[in-house]
Amino acid sequence: TRGWSRSQAISALAGIAVWLVAIGLAVSVLVGDLRALVGSLGLIGLALSWALQTPIESFTGWLLNSFQGYYRVGDRVSVGEVFGDVVKIDFLTTTVWEIGSPQRPGFVHAEQPTGRVVTFPNSEVLTGTIMNLTRDFPYAWDELTIGVGNESDLRHAMVVLERIARELLGEQMKEPAASYRGILARAGLTEPIAEAPQVFAAPADSWTDLSIRYLVPVRERRRWKSELAVRVSEVLAQPENASRVFPAYPRRQLQAIAPDGRA
């Protein structure tokens, strides 16, 4: 697909060059004065570049994307305020099937289709930030956070959560984790990559957050998060765990003050 995009870009540039040469030759024959021709073409080019600034920028963005391959049809991307799967790339615009996001209130909060098709100018390639979620690595790290009371046996809770996650996701994480490690190695990065889900603890307001970190396909994040949440709820409700791991709940401290000012 990338090779085809480059061929289209080269063909478009060649066609523009041929038309410019042909028009220049035709005008030079009619005018007869090459210097007048050059001056006239300069003024015309300046006027056109000013009037057609946005289309020119969009066409330039299409050319840049064709050669650099920032995104292709089928990729899940975030460009500016647009987030979705690319379905069509034209000379001037890109069309995506919109995907919901937690950062966009009023829409689908998870990464699933909203049912809307969004078209944006290719000039966004020149001015906006492009995030491609599937081009080189179609997986994403995700987290499920469980709040537990501070009186819980935290180490026991972490062991239980890690066991649940490894039973559900451990085997299918090995291959993408190895692939991710290879990508980092080729880039000269040596960050250690876990081959199985991990659990981390962090203090919250009046409880402790236990976060399960795991690697799943980008387009299946909601499915696996939902399944993991259900299994965690079922296992923590078992008697041997319910007596050691307690749910988190907000706490409020009230202080009574006597008329004499004593607490």
Side-chain angles (χ1 to χ4, degrees):
T1 303
R2 185 172 179 179
W4 174 250
S5 298
R6 287 183 174 179
S7 299
Q8 282 186 312
I10 293 173
S11 298
L13 288 175
I16 292 173
V18 169
W19 275 105
L20 289 176
V21 171
I23 293 173
L25 291 176
V27 174
S28 64
V29 171
L30 294 175
V31 175
D33 188 347
L34 185 59
R35 289 176 298 179
L37 170 64
V38 173
S40 300
L41 290 179
L43 292 175
I44 293 173
L46 181 61
L48 288 176
S49 63
W50 179 264
L52 302 176
Q53 182 176 0
T54 299
I56 290 174
E57 289 180 351
S58 294
F59 182 73
T60 303
W62 174 77
L63 289 176
L64 189 60
N65 183 51
S66 297
F67 285 106
Q68 297 296 328
Y70 296 128
Y71 57 80
R72 302 181 294 265
V73 172
D75 287 348
R76 177 161 293 185
V77 300
S78 174
V79 182
E81 297 183 355
V82 179
F83 179 49
D85 295 326
V86 179
V87 296
K88 187 177 182 181
I89 303 174
D90 291 325
F91 291 148
L92 301 180
T93 62
T94 295
T95 303
V96 303
W97 184 258
E98 187 183 50
I99 301 298
S101 171
Q103 288 74 34
R104 305 190 66 189
F107 298 92
V108 176
H109 287 179
E111 291 187 15
Q112 290 184 295
T114 66
R116 304 195 313 178
V117 175
V118 181
T119 300
F120 62 89
N122 291 332
S123 57
E124 288 288 336
V125 173
L126 305 177
T127 59
T129 299
I130 303 172
M131 290 189 293
N132 194 320
L133 284 72
T134 56
R135 183 184 67 180
D136 299 319
F137 188 69
Y139 296 86
W141 292 98
D142 203 1
E143 290 188 355
L144 175 66
T145 299
I146 308 295
V148 298
N150 289 333
E151 64 273 21
S152 302
D153 185 341
L154 295 182
R155 293 192 180 277
H156 174 75
M158 293 176 69
V159 170
V160 171
L161 294 182
E162 186 170 306
R163 184 181 70 244
I164 297 171
R166 292 192 176 213
E167 289 175 355
L168 179 64
L169 301 165
E171 285 299 320
Q172 70 174 27
M173 262 189 63
K174 292 181 179 179
E175 184 176 347
S179 175
Y180 188 60
R181 189 182 301 110
I183 293 174
L184 293 182
R186 288 192 294 272
L189 303 175
T190 58
E191 180 181 354
I193 303 300
E195 292 186 353
Q198 295 177 297
V199 178
F200 300 92
D205 293 339
S206 57
W207 62 88
T208 300
D209 284 334
L210 301 182
S211 297
I212 309 173
R213 178 176 168 83
Y214 51 92
L215 186 64
V216 290
V218 169
R219 290 184 168 88
E220 300 179 14
R221 290 176 63 180
R222 190 174 199 184
R223 167 197 167 194
W224 289 112
K225 194 167 194 173
S226 176
E227 178 63 24
L228 181 60
V230 170
R231 294 200 183 190
V232 166
S233 177
E234 292 173 345
V235 174
L236 291 184
Q238 295 173 356
E240 63 271 22
N241 296 319
S243 60
R244 301 176 67 179
V245 182
F246 305 101
Y249 54 88
R251 301 183 182 184
R252 181 176 298 175
Q253 181 177 354
L254 299 178
Q255 186 176 20
I257 300 177
D260 58 1
R262 292 182 299 174

